[in-house]
Amino acid sequence: MSIPTDDDRRRRARALFDAQVEALDGATATALRARRREALAAMATLRRPSWAWPASGIATAALALMLWLPRGDGLGTEGVDAAAPTSAAPAPIALEAGRVEEDVEGPGAAARFADGAIAELENDAEFYAWLATAPDDLDLGLDLDNTPNAPPVQGPQEGLTL
Amino acid sequence: MDGHGPARPLSPNAAPPEMALDGFLASVERRGFRMAELALGHREDALDAVQDAMIAFLGYRERPQSEWPALFFSVLRSRITDRHRRNTVRRRVLAVFGVRDDEIDGDDPIAQLADAAPGPAETDERQRAWKALGLALRALPRRQREAFLLRELQGLSGAETAAAMGCSEGSVKTHLFRAQAALRAQLDDWR
């Protein structure tokens, strides 16, 4: 009894593989055919005609314009020229997106929070009353020298440090 | 190529693209299915892998038709690997709940139907050999299995196998050599 060589095994494996391919049962062959057709149909669905891209772009722009036009919330006074809305149609979307997805983390958000708090204090009469009674060396770590729209500083030339 | 490989398109642009694609996929789907079946050991998984490969292959349809066979089997190899990984994770998750994979799927009754053409004895013998070959191949490391399936069973050339596996021809030879050494022990009664 001869010992099979690697070539024997390889030949037999290949012959067996080819025989199994030829003898594929009907149910599997049908399933393969159906899946091939599904794959080709999916390709046909995904393929878009060349005119579809500009058309979808125009449709998107029109939708953006429709969403933007009825609004009367003062967007036009905040950097967008309300007198010429059509020339800047995409801009309101970007502004709106900026509002919704406001940056709530990071140094920018912290700075905005600090600015808002200081602005509120500046408009608060009680704050000024408290400030008048506060000790001179009170230091809260806030430097109002660099705050935009800070109230005029009275007193020592080096500025007021709260 | 030595005549055992997948059918190749006769000439570039010989048929309209849709027909050429359909014809090409029809020519490789059976071999692809058998390859996936050997690698995965499960009929439905093999069918899914072939369909996934067809869909992914169609993304490369603009490439020259002479590259299609190697491309298709490269994509199929990748899909088989994906299925292997998914099945491994699935088995581990099921094991956590004390469920065996085959308790859910069971064996597909259609897959158990004997192939019709030859007589019962020949079919039995062939099915036994097929099962043994599948078990031996699935016991191989993945790269060795891929090299054997693509080079020896699909009949891709060394260069095509290397391209499909994303490695050099030298690596393919190394994987094949090791695969044959492992199969020597697994299939010692084959001749």
Side-chain angles (χ1 to χ4, degrees), chain B residues 37-78:
Chain B
E37 186 185 40
L38 275 178
L40 294 166
H42 193 279
R43 178 182 179 272
E44 284 302 315
D45 277 355
L47 284 171
D48 288 346
V50 171
Q51 185 178 15
D52 288 351
M54 285 176 175
I55 292 169
F57 164 79
L58 289 173
Y60 300 98
R61 63 184 179 276
E62 304 299 336
R63 301 281 283 268
Q65 291 187 24
S66 58
E67 294 179 13
W68 285 2
L71 264 174
F72 176 77
F73 287 109
S74 174
V75 173
L76 179 59
R77 179 198 66 81
S78 165

Side-chain angles (χ1 to χ4, degrees), chain A residues 35-45, chain B residues 18 21-22 25 58:
Chain A
R35 284 162 186 256
R36 171 170 28 107
R37 289 188 179 147
E38 278 177 32
L40 288 165
M43 178 193 72
T45 306
Chain B
E18 300 282 342
L21 282 167
D22 189 44
L25 290 177
L58 289 173

